Amino acid sequence: MTKVLGFGEVMLRLCPSGFKRFRQMLPGNMDVTFGGGEANVCASLAMLGDEAAYLTALPKNAVTESFFAQMRGLDVDVSNVLIKENSRMGIYFVETGANQRASNVIYDRDYSAISMTGPEEYDFEKALDGVKHVHITGITPSLSEKAFLSTLELARRAKAAGVKVSCDLNYRKKLWNWHDAMKKNELAEHCMAQIVPFVDVIIANEEDAADVFGIKAEHADLTKGHIDAAAYISVAEQLIKRFPNVSQVAITLRESISASHNNWGAMLFDKASGQADFAPLNADGEYTPYEIRDIVDRVGGGDSFGAGLIHALYSDDCGAPEDAIRFAVAASCLKHSVKGDFNYVNRSEVLSLMGGDASGRVKR
């Protein structure tokens, strides 16, 4: 197994049950779970059979202990998490959309433990011991200058130690508020342009490269659910031209017909071969995305894709780019059937979907 370290913020996730709205549920009960991009990746990797470790900063209280218990139950190593007195865990609220009503996220992350922690407070050397791959995202740098500097320092140290680094650009329009003199996109580009030179694999959705680096795909109208998949080859090539250290670029391709119906696929561009592989493919070898109807929960879909890709790239049977992207897309397709941030899907289920079993028949 390859040991993977994820670094970022985990939060309490509060969500009305079913498809109810906040005003229907509050005051009242809501579903409470844990979630956050990098923690989602670590949890998914562990469920796929990899050795995963998670690094963050959290308060010293019973809620943190509950999070530790869950992660340890999934075999995720949380032994290097930094515990800080008089701090807080971030919170986010999710209102799950349906049909033509979009989902809505409200963040309550200001002054969270990780946003108040600088790189000098972490023992990165200890956290990197035995690690072969580090996963970071563009979410954590969006929280504060200290969180940005911590992400940058971990990426720098990992690269210096010969550890591969993947970064999901993960642009969040409601974040990047910590610099009064810069617009959100300007701040994102300023920060991510310093991090990505230490990155081997870029992961992004169909909008991230445009939002962060101004690199746009032609003929895409995401509000109408239309994507020209081939246009993202140029996006990947432009990213690699700007950051020649990057060896692979993976881009998820979500066509949002409605909140309940998405078409889902992805592309992996490999610098060494100069080739782009798409998944899934039909019997004629043409890109034909999964049609996901009656979505249970799409939050964490990109994280499950990232975990699937990392897992596959180090697997003997799925390491080739064309197989790795098929595995990643299948894993993330299945996540849309799972409530909550974590992708409670195992490797055999992913391989079954890769093999063409999309019937959903009961397995007895």
Side-chain angles (χ1 to χ4, degrees):
M1 294 187 294
T2 298
K3 185 175 181 179
V4 181
L5 173 69
F7 172 72
E9 182 173 39
V10 66
M11 298 165 286
L12 274 177
R13 165 180 158 153
L14 279 68
C15 185
S17 60
F19 297 97
K20 292 182 179 178
R21 310 209 69 178
F22 293 131
R23 288 191 174 187
Q24 291 177 276
M25 298 298 295
L26 295 174
N29 298 324
M30 291 207 292
D31 297 332
V32 183
T33 55
F34 295 104
E38 305 85 358
N40 299 345
V41 169
C42 289
S44 185
L45 282 167
M47 283 181 274
L48 291 171
D50 293 302
E51 185 178 358
Y54 181 59
L55 179 63
T56 190
L58 287 171
K60 183 178 182 179
N61 58 36
V63 178
T64 291
E65 289 300 328
S66 296
F67 170 68
F68 285 169
Q70 183 178 27
M71 295 298 269
R72 290 179 184 127
L74 297 172
D75 287 330
V76 177
D77 179 5
V78 290
S79 62
N80 289 309
V81 170
L82 178 64
I83 299 298
K84 302 192 69 173
E85 300 278 359
N86 302 315
S87 63
R88 60 162 300 209
M89 180 183 286
I91 301 171
Y92 83 109
F93 303 83
V94 185
E95 192 177 66
T96 304
N99 299 318
Q100 282 67 44
R101 176 173 59 83
S103 296
N104 183 39
V105 171
I106 298 173
Y107 291 121
D108 178 15
R109 308 172 73 162
D110 291 347
Y111 307 107
S112 64
I114 195 170
S115 70
M116 303 298 289
T117 303
E120 70 283 354
E121 298 183 64
Y122 294 100
D123 190 343
F124 286 133
E125 183 177 356
K126 183 180 178 184
L128 285 168
D129 184 37
V131 169
K132 300 298 181 183
H133 189 107
V134 165
H135 181 72
I136 56 177
T137 77
I139 300 175
T140 301
S142 73
L143 301 176
S144 69
E145 184 176 21
K146 286 186 175 182
F148 156 61
L149 292 174
S150 296
T151 306
L152 176 62
E153 179 64 10
L154 175 59
R156 185 191 69 78
R157 286 176 178 248
K159 191 70 171 180
V163 175
K164 283 195 173 183
V165 179
S166 57
C167 178
D168 192 329
L169 296 181
N170 260 336
Y171 181 76
R172 295 290 184 263
K173 293 180 175 66
K174 293 184 178 181
L175 301 177
W176 292 106
N177 300 310
W178 54 266
H179 198 299
D180 293 337
M182 299 181 74
K183 295 179 180 179
K184 293 173 183 282
N185 294 81
E186 293 172 347
L187 181 58
E189 180 169 14
H190 172 76
C191 294
M192 298 310 294
Q194 296 177 64
I195 291 172
V196 174
F198 300 106
V199 169
D200 300 280
V201 181
I202 290 178
I203 301 170
N205 69 18
E206 62 285 335
E207 298 179 280
D208 287 332
D211 287 332
V212 177
F213 295 121
I215 300 173
K216 300 180 180 180
E218 296 182 357
H219 312 303
D221 190 341
L222 303 180
T223 62
K224 295 182 179 179
H226 173 71
I227 287 178
D228 180 1
Y232 287 88
I233 297 175
S234 174
V235 172
E237 291 173 333
Q238 291 179 68
L239 283 169
I240 288 176
K241 183 178 181 180
R242 179 166 178 179
F243 303 104
N245 51 286
V246 172
S247 59
Q248 292 176 312
V249 176
I251 300 177
T252 58
L253 305 172
R254 183 188 297 276
E255 295 175 321
S256 294
I257 312 305
S258 74
S260 306
H261 176 196
N262 290 180
N263 294 335
W264 180 254
M267 178 204 74
L268 177 62
F269 185 88
D270 184 73
K271 178 182 178 180
S273 65
Q275 298 294 315
D277 288 290
F278 290 84
L281 305 178
N282 63 20
D284 297 322
E286 299 172 333
Y287 171 66
T288 307
Y290 290 114
E291 278 198 56
I292 310 176
R293 299 176 183 270
D294 302 315
I295 292 172
V296 173
D297 194 342
R298 60 157 286 180
V299 176
D303 304 322
S304 62
F305 172 85
L309 182 66
I310 294 167
H311 170 84
L313 288 173
Y314 291 100
S315 299
D316 292 337
D317 56 348
C318 294
E322 63 271 22
D323 296 322
I325 193 63
R326 288 176 59 222
F327 187 95
V329 173
S332 51
C333 174
L334 290 171
K335 166 61 188 76
H336 290 72
S337 69
V338 180
K339 188 71 173 176
D341 271 46
F342 293 174
N343 189 20
Y344 289 94
V345 169
N346 62 43
R347 194 173 195 272
S348 63
E349 291 171 318
V350 178
L351 293 174
S352 179
L353 180 56
M354 280 179 65
D357 183 2
S359 65
R361 291 177 61 86
V362 177
K363 298 183 185 297
R364 304 180 191 272

